[in-house]
Amino acid sequence: MVFEDVGTWDILTVLAIVFVLYALVYPQYQMKKVKTQRLSMIKKLEQEWGTKVLTLIHRKEAVSMFGLPVYQYIDIEDAESILRGIRNTTKDRPIDIIVHTPGGQVHPSIQIARALKNHKGHTRVMVPHYSMSGGTIIALAADEIIMDDDAVIGPIDPQLGDLIRGTYPAPSWINAASQKGANADDTTIVLSDISEKTMKLMRKVSNELLDGKIEDEEKRNYVVEKLVSGEMVHITPISASEAAEIGLPVSTNLPDKVHEFMKFYRSVKSSVEYIE
């Protein structure tokens, strides 16, 4: 009876080890396989388009540790990688960046945008689905923004706050401090002050990025105010036609190969099914 118990525990131990190894190794194998496919596709796109192709794609993927989704956004590591890619591209070679992101930190978004703006060759930002907030900042730097007919970009009004109160648009903090006046608490006053400075920065950067694309200063200021002022809610989806109407250099000639490339990113959610 003792030997049978020992044998049972041995089997359970082996099964547990196999399960842990599978959970650790198999996702890594999948990730390596998918990454190889992506790099192969990027190489084909570069050969076909004659450009340097970079990607900035943030998506909750099924290929992850223990199947848990990884939430991503634009951060300093992204900036380091994109800047390295731009720096390693010959000055006159065109650059295409495929962007799919909910946005992220302002600092790295501006760094990426300025590096793209300063590149001597023609630059394009391609948006197959969405490029919100910080992603829109990067798109403003490109000579050409190419969107799918149903893709969207978004406003770039700064979002500020803290863990206790939450994060809100900079224009709203300014408005709250103005409405309360002398009755405003110290935190609201401080955040309002920071908001005013951040808004000033975003207006300056936006004008800088759009310089040379929208020659008329009055029209350029109009576009900047539309995107920065808080007139629209931060999550407002701006379609390609609306972006063009505002005055941005947008077209909808998105190559089909971009959508083919996006298929190499497996979504965590699989509630939608159909036969292609």
Side-chain angles (χ1 to χ4, degrees):
M1 192 69 175
V2 174
F3 289 108
E4 289 180 1
D5 290 341
V6 172
T8 301
W9 281 111
D10 286 343
I11 293 172
L12 291 175
T13 301
V14 171
L15 290 175
I17 293 172
V18 170
F19 173 77
V20 171
L21 288 175
Y22 175 82
L24 291 172
V25 176
Y26 185 64
Q28 298 302 316
Y29 165 75
Q30 281 186 307
M31 290 176 69
K32 185 175 181 180
K33 180 181 177 181
V34 170
K35 186 173 182 179
T36 300
Q37 292 174 321
R38 292 172 185 167
L39 292 176
S40 176
M41 184 67 173
I42 288 174
K43 187 175 181 179
K44 289 179 181 177
L45 293 178
E46 288 186 337
Q47 291 174 344
E48 183 176 328
W49 298 341
T51 66
K52 177 67 176 180
V53 177
L54 307 173
T55 67
L56 182 62
I57 297 174
H58 298 132
R59 192 170 181 179
K60 293 180 291 183
E61 289 197 82
V63 182
S64 57
M65 192 66 68
F66 297 108
L68 297 175
V70 178
Y71 294 84
Q72 297 179 317
Y73 54 88
I74 301 171
D75 57 22
I76 196 64
E77 282 73 26
D78 288 325
E80 290 176 4
S81 298
I82 294 290
L83 264 59
R84 189 183 307 115
I86 294 174
R87 188 168 55 249
N88 291 338
T89 304
T90 54
K91 292 183 179 180
D92 58 345
R93 185 178 182 185
I95 291 179
D96 290 327
I97 302 185
I98 301 173
V99 181
H100 176 84
T101 181
Q105 299 171 357
V106 173
H107 175 192
S109 298
I110 293 175
Q111 275 193 296
I112 294 170
R114 281 176 167 165
L116 190 64
K117 167 77 174 177
N118 293 332
H119 183 67
K120 302 302 180 184
H122 188 75
T123 57
R124 303 187 298 183
V125 164
M126 300 185 177
V127 186
H129 297 294
Y130 76 144
S131 179
M132 304 297 283
S133 192
T136 301
I137 294 174
I138 296 169
L140 295 181
D143 295 317
E144 187 179 357
I145 305 171
I146 306 179
M147 300 171 62
D148 180 80
D149 287 322
D150 299 312
V152 296
I153 57 175
I156 54 175
D157 51 316
Q159 307 294 296
L160 289 86
D162 53 44
L163 293 175
I164 298 175
R165 298 185 176 209
T167 301
Y168 301 100
S172 296
W173 283 114
I174 296 171
N175 183 58
S178 175
Q179 291 287 333
K180 289 189 174 183
N183 295 322
D185 57 71
D186 290 348
T187 304
T188 300
I189 294 173
V190 170
L191 285 170
S192 174
D193 178 61
I194 296 172
S195 294
E196 288 180 356
K197 293 171 182 175
T198 309
M199 293 283 288
K200 183 178 180 181
L201 169 66
M202 287 310 304
R203 287 188 174 99
K204 175 182 178 295
V205 170
S206 299
N207 264 290
E208 173 191 325
L209 298 177
L210 290 172
D211 183 35
K213 303 177 184 67
I214 304 177
E215 297 295 343
D216 185 83
E217 185 177 354
E218 185 177 344
K219 186 176 181 181
R220 188 167 66 245
N221 287 331
Y222 168 78
V223 174
V224 170
E225 285 304 304
K226 271 285 184 182
L227 297 174
V228 177
S229 67
E231 172 187 333
M232 297 180 282
V233 180
H234 193 64
I235 60 172
T236 300
I238 302 173
S239 67
S241 60
E242 289 171 331
E245 187 178 332
I246 289 173
L248 292 174
V250 172
S251 72
T252 54
N253 302 317
L254 188 75
D256 292 335
K257 291 289 179 67
V258 176
H259 285 299
E260 289 181 29
F261 176 75
M262 291 299 295
K263 291 179 181 179
F264 291 112
Y265 291 82
R266 294 177 51 195
S267 175
V268 173
K269 187 176 180 181
S270 58
S271 58
V272 177
E273 295 180 330
Y274 59 90
I275 299 174
E276 294 189 26

